[in-house]
Amino acid sequence: MEFTREIYWNVGHGVLIPMYLLAFIAIGIMIFGFYKRYLVYKMGGSENRLDSLFDRIFYMLRNVFSQKKVIKEKIPGIFHGIFFWGFLLLFIGTLLVFLQADFTNPLFGVKFLTGIFYLVFSLVLDLAGLAAIIMLSALLIRRFFIKPEGLETIRDDYIIHGILLVILITGFIIEGLRMSVTELGSGSILPYFSPVGMFAANIFAGFDAGSLQGAHKFIWWFHFLLAMTFIGIIPLTKLRHIFTMSANLMFKDNRVKGFINTPDLEDEQAEQFGCEELTDFSWKDIFDGDACTKCKRCQDRCPAYATDKPLSPMKVIQQFQEAAFYENTENMVDFVTPDVLWSCTTCRACQETCPADIEHVNKILEMRRNMVLMKGEFPGDEVITATDSIEVNGNPLGFGFAKRGDWADGLDVSLVSEQADVDILYFPGCFASFDKRNINVAKNFVSICNELGVRVGILGKEEKCCGEPARKLGNEYLYQMMAMENIEKLSEYNVKRIVTTCPHCFNTLSKDYMQLGLDGSVQVEHYTTFLHKMFEENGFNLESEDFECTYHDSCYMARYNDILDEPRSLITSAGGRINEMDKNRYESFCCGGGGGRILVDEKIGTKVNAARAKMAADTGSGMLISNCPFCLSMFEDGIKTAEVEDKIKVRDISEILVDRIKRRS
């Protein structure tokens, strides 16, 4: 007996014309629906997201078919991934059936769905369909019965789950009706290679063939019409993410992580800076709203949302879609609201976890930029004071600029204005120059460099704030003023290698300054990667002493610059045993100081730094280690707020290293 089955059994080949006509209509409706949405995307400004097209397509295909970003979300992600693969196999199987029945067989007399291949084909599709039903049912239970906090359920969810589940179940009913008439009791092994179909066939085994054939024809048409309905409604429901999410992966930002557009503030033709109206944003910003699957991963990772701030990254992206397609809203700043915009720490956790590569942070920064530069709005008077101090004294802490290099008195460090022949230019930043606790970090770093024989130079009073906090709070003018003054000095002294103990300075100098003219050959490093490299190159061994600790990944080290292992290596080389917090590495929870928030009084919700301090205390380590002046300052305060002073102390990596180096000497 030949291992195969009759395609179009019972319904006949007469269905081909109406079937293809309806299919073309459904596809036409889908294309027209996407075309109408395309016209809305065009409201946004132009932006090239098709450079390096081959690489973009490869990235998209790799992520779509592997579901790599989706399954990172553990249980629900794995459910969705298995459902996707099951549905994909069913789609491929349907295409193979159409290919044989309507192309290779009628035109060339070629049948490939036979023999062993057909048996494997039948078994794989049956198991794929079963897996898809099980996973979809699990996702349905999660959404409608378990209802995780923050997971919104709308009309689309009922439609999508309902139509997909009925399509899958009716597919097996059709198979069972056919098998009950043609294969059960025939002595063939075919039913065993369609186990789910055989289960359904046994249910119908007691009915006469005429009744089964009538039911089969009715359900076949119902199943087909439902499938065509599914295709037609894709642009009108959340199902559109099948295409928009995939496309958004191809449109990902290929620029350096954390790239921010640098406007020409001297452009006399510019009517405004930043973005306020929907049309001020790019088409990609609007498209992001359609690519969002509302999976709430960004919301779950957001430190502002977790501490009862009004910010939900998911909602902000949804508001772009609502404004573009439904609300007819033009002013995005008012629609999103200032309190939401000022709550962001720019930690980038939302973008790191998003399976669709949606870009949240820059939308917020552009709206902040508009509020500050066009309307003079700030999150509080304390920010006005800090930015005034940056403008006058080159730092936000209120100290006179002439005292900026005083921390180095008595240390073996040179002013490059007097001695430019140094190995590195150390850029301590504002906190390590003026904040008492962070001054120790600067001194420690210089001491370690001295021990390694590295000649260190500083700008001293010629150094200004890198401008990053002001920029992240929307004051692009002040940022560019500080940046240009720093770049002028760095160029004047022909600086080739910069090391900083501040991740924010590091990120700004190594990336943002290049847009304003800093020589691209200048090497900028964070002190942990610099010391890690120096230790390895020189075979330098610390005087190790065992201790327990937990380590906090600064957002601007981990998510912005992928620096994860070097700081940990320094800690372990000093004898540290790291008890990781639940939220670590790329999943790290922000200290609350990023995005300029180090200058802002936290008045809404609970404090981010206290939440993170509590996480550190819960490890039972007794010591929290960081390598960022913002984090160090925030944790000193957060430990007190969380009332865990007796459980955890905070130290910078430099404080650990310098102790071991002194003992070694």
Side-chain angles (χ1 to χ4, degrees), residues 428-510:
C430 299
F431 275 72
S433 296
F434 296 110
D435 176 71
K436 184 176 180 181
R437 179 63 189 279
N438 280 287
I439 284 175
N440 289 330
V441 174
K443 290 182 175 181
N444 291 339
F445 174 67
V446 171
S447 297
I448 296 169
C449 287
N450 292 161
E451 185 69 24
L452 293 171
V454 177
R455 294 173 300 170
V456 181
I458 60 172
L459 290 172
K461 66 181 180 180
E462 293 183 305
E463 178 186 307
K464 300 291 178 68
C465 175
C466 71
E468 190 265 358
R471 187 181 211 199
K472 295 297 167 61
L473 286 172
N475 198 333
E476 181 72 18
Y477 170 80
L478 183 55
Y479 156 71
Q480 291 196 23
M481 183 173 75
M482 293 295 104
M484 293 306 297
E485 291 186 30
N486 283 325
I487 291 171
E488 182 181 347
K489 289 299 176 183
L490 294 171
S491 301
E492 178 184 340
Y493 297 124
N494 196 29
V495 172
K496 293 300 181 184
R497 192 174 191 183
I498 303 171
V499 180
T500 176
T501 43
C502 176
H504 297 264
C505 294
F506 163 60
N507 189 72
T508 303
L509 270 64
S510 64

XYZ file of all heavy atoms in Angstrom, residues 428-510:
650
model
N 38.591 62.359 36.106
C 37.845 61.870 37.273
C 36.354 62.178 37.241
O 35.550 61.460 37.834
C 38.524 62.575 38.451
C 39.144 63.794 37.854
C 39.550 63.420 36.462
N 35.977 63.275 36.554
C 34.580 63.679 36.582
C 34.268 64.500 37.819
O 35.119 64.704 38.690
N 33.029 64.954 37.914
C 32.658 65.905 38.967
C 32.651 65.287 40.361
O 33.157 65.880 41.322
C 31.286 66.503 38.661
S 31.233 67.413 37.097
N 32.086 64.103 40.497
C 31.947 63.516 41.834
C 33.298 63.118 42.405
O 33.568 63.314 43.594
C 30.986 62.325 41.792
C 29.547 62.727 41.906
C 28.909 63.369 40.850
C 28.828 62.498 43.056
C 27.587 63.770 40.945
C 27.504 62.885 43.180
C 26.874 63.539 42.112
N 34.176 62.556 41.590
C 35.500 62.174 42.087
C 36.386 63.387 42.313
O 37.436 63.277 42.962
C 36.165 61.211 41.110
N 35.963 64.541 41.803
C 36.731 65.766 42.020
C 36.287 66.517 43.268
O 37.093 67.207 43.906
C 36.606 66.694 40.806
O 37.180 66.119 39.660
N 34.999 66.390 43.629
C 34.469 67.225 44.711
C 33.770 66.460 45.836
O 33.717 66.941 46.964
C 33.491 68.248 44.130
C 34.110 69.224 43.182
C 33.835 69.183 41.831
C 34.988 70.195 43.649
C 34.398 70.097 40.948
C 35.566 71.115 42.782
C 35.279 71.068 41.429
N 33.188 65.314 45.542
C 32.465 64.560 46.571
C 33.449 63.796 47.445
O 34.302 63.053 46.935
C 31.476 63.587 45.903
C 30.764 62.709 46.907
O 29.918 63.226 47.647
O 31.088 61.504 46.949
N 33.346 63.977 48.762
C 34.349 63.447 49.693
C 34.569 61.950 49.512
O 35.719 61.483 49.459
C 33.926 63.750 51.132
C 34.955 63.321 52.165
C 34.522 63.732 53.577
C 35.568 63.304 54.611
N 35.161 63.680 55.978
N 33.493 61.197 49.436
C 33.633 59.739 49.319
C 34.277 59.372 47.986
O 35.141 58.483 47.898
C 32.268 59.074 49.464
C 32.321 57.551 49.328
C 33.174 56.917 50.437
N 33.415 55.510 50.202
C 32.552 54.552 50.486
N 31.384 54.854 51.034
N 32.851 53.291 50.266
N 33.863 60.025 46.927
C 34.370 59.673 45.609
C 35.771 60.215 45.347
O 36.475 59.717 44.466
C 33.397 60.145 44.527
C 32.221 59.200 44.360
O 32.364 58.111 43.819
N 31.056 59.596 44.857
N 36.191 61.231 46.117
C 37.582 61.675 46.029
C 38.512 60.524 46.384
O 39.594 60.361 45.791
C 37.817 62.891 46.951
C 37.218 64.157 46.310
C 39.306 63.095 47.231
C 37.292 65.394 47.191
N 38.105 59.695 47.343
C 38.909 58.530 47.713
C 39.101 57.588 46.529
O 40.154 56.960 46.386
C 38.260 57.780 48.877
C 38.362 58.538 50.184
O 39.313 59.296 50.390
N 37.394 58.343 51.066
N 38.053 57.462 45.694
C 38.153 56.623 44.507
C 39.235 57.154 43.577
O 40.057 56.401 43.043
C 36.796 56.542 43.775
C 36.934 55.779 42.458
C 35.743 55.887 44.670
N 39.221 58.478 43.353
C 40.229 59.092 42.486
C 41.634 58.857 43.038
O 42.565 58.492 42.304
C 39.949 60.587 42.353
N 41.802 59.068 44.333
C 43.121 58.878 44.952
C 43.559 57.415 44.857
O 44.740 57.115 44.605
C 43.074 59.322 46.408
C 42.948 60.832 46.587
C 42.953 61.202 48.064
C 42.941 62.723 48.239
N 42.976 63.114 49.661
N 42.600 56.507 45.082
C 42.911 55.079 44.993
C 43.398 54.713 43.591
O 44.374 53.970 43.432
C 41.687 54.235 45.330
C 41.294 54.331 46.786
O 42.116 54.694 47.638
N 40.046 54.032 47.085
N 42.702 55.227 42.584
C 43.070 54.887 41.219
C 44.484 55.376 40.904
O 45.291 54.651 40.310
C 42.071 55.488 40.227
C 42.474 55.289 38.797
C 42.507 54.020 38.243
C 42.844 56.366 38.004
C 42.904 53.822 36.924
C 43.230 56.191 36.686
C 43.260 54.912 36.140
N 44.788 56.596 41.307
C 46.131 57.129 41.058
C 47.179 56.295 41.793
O 48.254 55.992 41.249
C 46.221 58.614 41.476
C 47.666 59.102 41.431
C 45.344 59.472 40.574
N 46.878 55.895 43.022
C 47.820 55.074 43.791
C 48.085 53.743 43.093
O 49.236 53.270 43.049
C 47.275 54.815 45.198
O 47.145 56.021 45.927
N 47.030 53.139 42.572
C 47.186 51.860 41.864
C 48.033 52.059 40.609
O 48.924 51.252 40.305
C 45.810 51.276 41.514
C 45.030 50.933 42.790
C 45.952 50.024 40.648
C 43.562 50.609 42.556
N 47.777 53.138 39.887
C 48.554 53.430 38.680
C 50.024 53.643 39.017
O 50.925 53.182 38.304
C 48.001 54.661 37.964
S 46.438 54.370 37.112
N 50.283 54.348 40.131
C 51.663 54.565 40.563
C 52.351 53.234 40.811
O 53.528 53.039 40.450
C 51.701 55.409 41.832
C 51.245 56.850 41.627
O 50.895 57.545 42.567
N 51.243 57.310 40.376
N 51.630 52.314 41.454
C 52.196 50.994 41.743
C 52.507 50.228 40.461
O 53.476 49.459 40.403
C 51.212 50.197 42.604
C 51.728 48.851 43.081
C 52.860 48.988 44.104
O 52.953 50.042 44.770
O 53.654 48.033 44.228
N 51.703 50.474 39.430
C 51.899 49.801 38.147
C 52.897 50.525 37.255
O 53.208 50.063 36.154
C 50.552 49.678 37.417
C 49.505 48.762 38.048
C 48.158 48.923 37.349
C 49.956 47.307 37.973
N 53.385 51.668 37.711
C 54.333 52.426 36.918
C 53.700 53.213 35.792
O 54.365 53.564 34.805
N 52.402 53.525 35.923
C 51.680 54.290 34.901
C 51.745 55.772 35.251
O 51.382 56.174 36.365
C 50.204 53.833 34.819
C 49.445 54.685 33.793
C 50.125 52.361 34.441
N 52.219 56.582 34.333
C 52.296 58.028 34.555
C 50.924 58.645 34.278
O 50.383 58.525 33.183
C 53.342 58.645 33.636
C 54.772 58.186 33.949
C 55.742 58.690 32.902
N 55.383 58.176 31.586
C 55.947 58.608 30.449
N 56.860 59.561 30.469
N 55.573 58.085 29.290
N 50.384 59.308 35.287
C 49.024 59.838 35.216
C 49.038 61.356 35.109
O 49.751 62.044 35.860
C 48.213 59.427 36.476
C 46.782 59.957 36.383
C 48.218 57.912 36.645
N 48.239 61.874 34.186
C 48.047 63.310 34.063
C 46.581 63.660 34.220
O 45.696 62.830 34.000
N 46.307 64.881 34.650
C 44.931 65.362 34.769
C 44.844 66.768 34.184
O 45.858 67.457 34.026
C 44.458 65.384 36.242
C 45.348 66.314 37.082
C 44.408 63.978 36.817
C 44.838 66.544 38.502
N 43.640 67.186 33.878
C 43.412 68.551 33.406
C 43.312 69.536 34.566
O 43.502 70.743 34.392
C 42.131 68.621 32.572
C 42.165 67.938 31.197
C 40.774 67.925 30.596
C 43.142 68.624 30.262
N 42.971 69.036 35.745
C 42.815 69.909 36.904
C 41.674 70.882 36.710
O 40.572 70.495 36.300
N 41.918 72.152 36.984
C 40.846 73.146 36.889
C 40.393 73.383 35.456
O 39.365 74.030 35.223
C 41.289 74.463 37.523
C 42.424 75.161 36.797
C 42.820 76.437 37.515
C 43.962 77.161 36.804
N 44.349 78.409 37.517
N 41.120 72.842 34.470
C 40.711 72.995 33.075
C 39.669 71.952 32.675
O 39.084 72.042 31.598
C 41.934 72.889 32.168
C 42.911 74.050 32.324
C 44.070 73.962 31.366
O 44.759 72.913 31.373
O 44.271 74.919 30.604
N 39.471 70.950 33.527
C 38.448 69.938 33.258
C 37.069 70.487 33.608
O 36.904 71.171 34.609
C 38.717 68.672 34.064
C 37.660 67.572 33.891
C 37.911 66.393 34.824
O 39.040 65.860 34.810
O 36.982 66.028 35.583
N 36.093 70.190 32.802
C 34.696 70.570 33.067
C 33.834 69.314 33.146
O 34.237 68.235 32.694
C 34.172 71.480 31.948
C 34.944 72.783 31.773
C 34.713 73.704 32.957
C 35.508 74.999 32.841
N 35.039 75.865 31.745
N 32.668 69.463 33.709
C 31.689 68.370 33.698
C 31.555 67.844 32.270
O 31.530 68.634 31.311
C 30.343 68.879 34.204
S 28.990 67.665 34.096
N 31.494 66.539 32.100
C 31.351 65.976 30.746
C 30.042 66.401 30.106
O 29.880 66.318 28.887
C 31.471 64.459 30.784
S 30.058 63.614 31.552
N 29.080 66.846 30.933
C 27.807 67.343 30.417
C 26.706 66.306 30.340
O 25.561 66.626 30.016
N 27.039 65.048 30.682
C 26.063 63.960 30.511
C 24.790 64.129 31.323
O 23.684 63.979 30.778
C 26.742 62.621 30.829
C 25.926 61.389 30.471
C 25.115 60.836 31.627
O 25.203 61.385 32.750
O 24.375 59.870 31.406
N 24.862 64.466 32.631
C 23.602 64.615 33.376
C 22.702 65.696 32.789
O 21.484 65.516 32.704
C 24.069 64.976 34.790
C 25.462 64.460 34.882
C 26.034 64.647 33.513
N 23.311 66.821 32.379
C 22.518 67.898 31.784
C 21.878 67.436 30.487
O 20.710 67.733 30.200
C 23.397 69.123 31.534
N 22.639 66.695 29.692
C 22.098 66.227 28.410
C 20.933 65.276 28.617
O 19.918 65.360 27.919
C 23.200 65.530 27.608
C 22.736 65.180 26.200
C 23.768 64.471 25.376
N 23.579 64.814 23.972
C 24.068 64.112 22.964
N 24.793 63.040 23.197
N 23.847 64.490 21.721
N 21.081 64.350 29.545
C 20.017 63.374 29.769
C 18.775 64.030 30.362
O 17.664 63.496 30.250
C 20.518 62.255 30.678
C 21.642 61.417 30.042
C 21.171 60.683 28.801
C 22.307 60.110 27.972
N 23.122 59.133 28.683
N 18.954 65.204 30.969
C 17.805 65.957 31.474
C 17.275 66.953 30.436
O 16.422 67.775 30.743
C 18.180 66.692 32.761
C 18.307 65.809 34.009
C 18.881 66.606 35.167
C 16.965 65.194 34.397
N 17.792 66.874 29.222
C 17.241 67.677 28.132
C 17.996 68.934 27.781
O 17.681 69.598 26.795
N 19.004 69.300 28.594
C 19.719 70.553 28.345
C 20.878 70.317 27.380
O 22.052 70.292 27.764
C 20.222 71.154 29.655
C 20.571 72.628 29.512
O 20.909 73.087 28.426
N 20.467 73.363 30.615
N 20.539 70.153 26.124
C 21.526 69.893 25.090
C 22.498 71.057 24.922
O 23.685 70.861 24.644
C 20.816 69.603 23.758
C 21.729 69.287 22.592
C 22.387 67.917 22.689
O 21.890 67.076 23.478
O 23.388 67.699 21.979
N 21.997 72.259 25.114
C 22.854 73.445 24.972
C 24.000 73.401 25.979
O 25.164 73.606 25.638
C 22.026 74.713 25.178
C 22.850 75.968 25.281
C 23.342 76.606 24.138
C 23.167 76.515 26.528
C 24.119 77.746 24.239
C 23.941 77.654 26.639
C 24.421 78.276 25.479
O 25.201 79.396 25.588
N 23.673 73.134 27.236
C 24.692 73.091 28.283
C 25.653 71.934 28.040
O 26.877 72.075 28.230
C 24.031 72.958 29.654
C 24.952 72.978 30.873
C 25.823 74.229 30.881
C 24.130 72.881 32.156
N 25.125 70.794 27.624
C 25.982 69.644 27.325
C 27.000 69.996 26.254
O 28.214 69.753 26.413
C 25.151 68.448 26.869
C 25.944 67.472 26.031
C 26.938 66.674 26.607
C 25.738 67.375 24.651
C 27.694 65.809 25.833
C 26.493 66.515 23.873
C 27.467 65.732 24.461
O 28.228 64.881 23.691
N 26.535 70.570 25.160
C 27.452 70.868 24.061
C 28.482 71.923 24.468
O 29.641 71.869 24.034
C 26.681 71.298 22.820
C 25.888 70.165 22.181
C 25.448 70.480 20.761
O 26.033 71.304 20.083
N 24.398 69.795 20.288
N 28.084 72.865 25.298
C 29.025 73.883 25.752
C 30.146 73.228 26.569
O 31.337 73.513 26.357
C 28.301 74.928 26.601
C 29.198 76.076 27.059
S 28.274 77.395 27.899
C 27.964 76.611 29.483
N 29.788 72.347 27.519
C 30.790 71.655 28.325
C 31.658 70.749 27.456
O 32.892 70.696 27.609
C 30.110 70.813 29.415
C 29.385 71.604 30.489
S 30.478 72.626 31.499
C 30.140 74.248 30.805
N 31.003 70.015 26.563
C 31.725 69.064 25.717
C 32.756 69.766 24.848
O 33.913 69.311 24.734
C 30.737 68.278 24.850
N 32.368 70.868 24.230
C 33.286 71.571 23.335
C 34.487 72.119 24.095
O 35.619 72.106 23.586
C 32.553 72.695 22.605
C 31.503 72.216 21.617
S 32.128 71.034 20.394
C 33.328 72.046 19.534
N 34.270 72.595 25.334
C 35.393 73.094 26.124
C 36.351 71.955 26.487
O 37.586 72.119 26.437
C 34.886 73.793 27.382
C 34.156 75.105 27.089
C 33.790 75.854 28.363
O 34.519 75.724 29.358
O 32.778 76.582 28.349
N 35.793 70.802 26.846
C 36.641 69.651 27.166
C 37.390 69.159 25.932
O 38.583 68.838 25.998
C 35.806 68.512 27.751
C 35.431 68.736 29.202
O 36.202 69.292 29.976
N 34.235 68.299 29.589
N 36.680 69.069 24.820
C 37.313 68.600 23.583
C 38.458 69.530 23.170
O 39.526 69.081 22.730
C 36.260 68.493 22.459
C 35.281 67.342 22.754
C 36.929 68.275 21.096
C 34.080 67.296 21.831
N 38.245 70.820 23.328
C 39.293 71.792 22.986
C 40.559 71.538 23.799
O 41.682 71.558 23.256
C 38.786 73.213 23.233
C 39.786 74.295 22.873
C 39.258 75.693 23.165
O 38.038 75.838 23.420
O 40.076 76.639 23.145
N 40.399 71.278 25.086
C 41.561 71.032 25.938
C 42.222 69.695 25.611
O 43.462 69.590 25.576
C 41.155 71.066 27.414
C 40.812 72.460 27.920
C 42.006 73.393 27.794
C 41.667 74.808 28.211
N 42.831 75.724 28.022
N 41.418 68.669 25.385
C 41.973 67.357 25.059
C 42.756 67.411 23.756
O 43.812 66.771 23.617
C 40.845 66.322 24.962
C 40.092 66.019 26.266
C 38.867 65.157 25.995
C 41.015 65.332 27.285
N 42.255 68.182 22.809
C 42.938 68.331 21.523
C 44.202 69.169 21.674
O 45.244 68.878 21.067
C 41.995 68.972 20.499
O 40.832 68.189 20.315
N 44.103 70.215 22.489
C 45.255 71.107 22.696
C 46.445 70.336 23.255
O 47.610 70.575 22.855
C 44.861 72.234 23.651
C 45.980 73.194 23.992
C 45.559 74.243 25.010
O 44.324 74.475 25.161
O 46.454 74.835 25.664
N 46.183 69.388 24.176
C 47.266 68.638 24.803
C 47.535 67.309 24.084
O 48.303 66.488 24.585
C 46.944 68.399 26.274
C 46.838 69.680 27.067
C 45.686 69.987 27.784
C 47.872 70.616 27.074
C 45.573 71.172 28.500
C 47.779 71.798 27.786
C 46.620 72.084 28.492
O 46.524 73.269 29.184
N 46.895 67.130 22.943
C 47.133 65.945 22.111
C 46.962 64.650 22.906
O 47.780 63.724 22.825
C 48.527 65.993 21.492
C 48.682 65.014 20.349
O 47.709 64.694 19.653
N 49.892 64.518 20.142
N 45.911 64.601 23.703
C 45.634 63.438 24.541
C 45.252 62.248 23.661
O 44.414 62.367 22.766
C 44.497 63.746 25.543
C 44.083 62.481 26.281
C 44.947 64.822 26.513
N 45.861 61.095 23.914
C 45.602 59.902 23.120
C 44.918 58.777 23.896
O 44.336 57.877 23.311
C 46.914 59.370 22.531
C 47.552 60.290 21.497
C 46.601 60.519 20.315
C 47.220 61.416 19.254
N 46.265 61.702 18.152
N 45.013 58.843 25.230
C 44.404 57.773 26.033
C 43.811 58.382 27.290
O 44.513 59.016 28.073
C 45.434 56.713 26.391
C 44.838 55.444 26.977
C 45.906 54.379 27.184
N 45.302 53.084 27.495
C 46.002 51.978 27.785
N 47.332 52.023 27.792
N 45.380 50.836 28.050
N 42.503 58.176 27.469
C 41.773 58.725 28.618
C 41.233 57.574 29.451
O 40.671 56.614 28.907
C 40.605 59.616 28.161
C 41.096 60.743 27.254
C 39.850 60.180 29.356
C 39.973 61.525 26.583
N 41.376 57.668 30.749
C 40.768 56.698 31.661
C 39.917 57.472 32.660
O 40.336 58.526 33.155
C 41.829 55.867 32.413
C 41.148 54.874 33.362
C 42.726 55.123 31.431
N 38.744 56.973 32.932
C 37.844 57.628 33.880
C 37.274 56.607 34.848
O 37.113 55.428 34.492
C 36.712 58.370 33.148
O 35.802 58.930 34.098
C 35.954 57.433 32.212
N 37.000 57.053 36.060
C 36.377 56.171 37.051
C 34.854 56.278 37.023
O 34.170 55.635 37.818
C 36.884 56.515 38.465
O 36.925 57.931 38.627
C 38.274 55.937 38.691
N 34.312 57.088 36.114
C 32.859 57.284 36.023
C 32.315 56.669 34.736
O 32.702 57.082 33.638
C 32.533 58.774 36.056
S 30.773 59.132 35.822
N 31.420 55.675 34.812
C 30.838 55.087 33.611
C 30.095 56.098 32.731
O 30.050 55.944 31.503
C 29.861 54.039 34.171
C 30.404 53.697 35.513
C 30.975 54.987 36.043
N 29.534 57.135 33.354
C 28.807 58.147 32.581
C 29.780 58.993 31.771
O 29.528 59.287 30.594
C 27.952 58.997 33.518
C 26.897 58.209 34.223
N 25.601 58.121 33.769
C 26.960 57.436 35.358
C 24.905 57.346 34.577
N 25.708 56.913 35.547
N 30.896 59.400 32.400
C 31.943 60.103 31.658
C 32.501 59.203 30.560
O 32.725 59.641 29.429
C 33.078 60.518 32.594
S 32.619 61.754 33.837
N 32.743 57.941 30.904
C 33.290 56.982 29.944
C 32.398 56.856 28.718
O 32.857 56.951 27.575
C 33.463 55.625 30.634
C 33.631 54.466 29.698
C 34.689 54.429 28.797
C 32.736 53.406 29.712
C 34.844 53.355 27.923
C 32.880 52.342 28.857
C 33.941 52.309 27.956
N 31.102 56.655 28.943
C 30.167 56.495 27.835
C 30.096 57.764 26.986
O 30.041 57.710 25.756
C 28.783 56.141 28.373
C 27.807 55.751 27.276
O 27.909 54.676 26.696
N 26.871 56.632 26.969
N 30.109 58.920 27.647
C 29.980 60.193 26.940
C 31.230 60.525 26.136
O 31.146 60.884 24.955
C 29.682 61.328 27.942
O 28.492 61.004 28.678
C 29.478 62.649 27.226
N 32.391 60.383 26.761
C 33.637 60.700 26.072
C 33.919 59.723 24.933
O 34.428 60.121 23.881
C 34.810 60.700 27.054
C 35.144 62.031 27.745
C 34.005 62.495 28.631
C 36.429 61.908 28.569
N 33.599 58.456 25.142
C 33.950 57.442 24.142
C 32.984 57.399 22.970
O 33.333 56.900 21.896
C 34.013 56.055 24.800
O 32.736 55.669 25.283
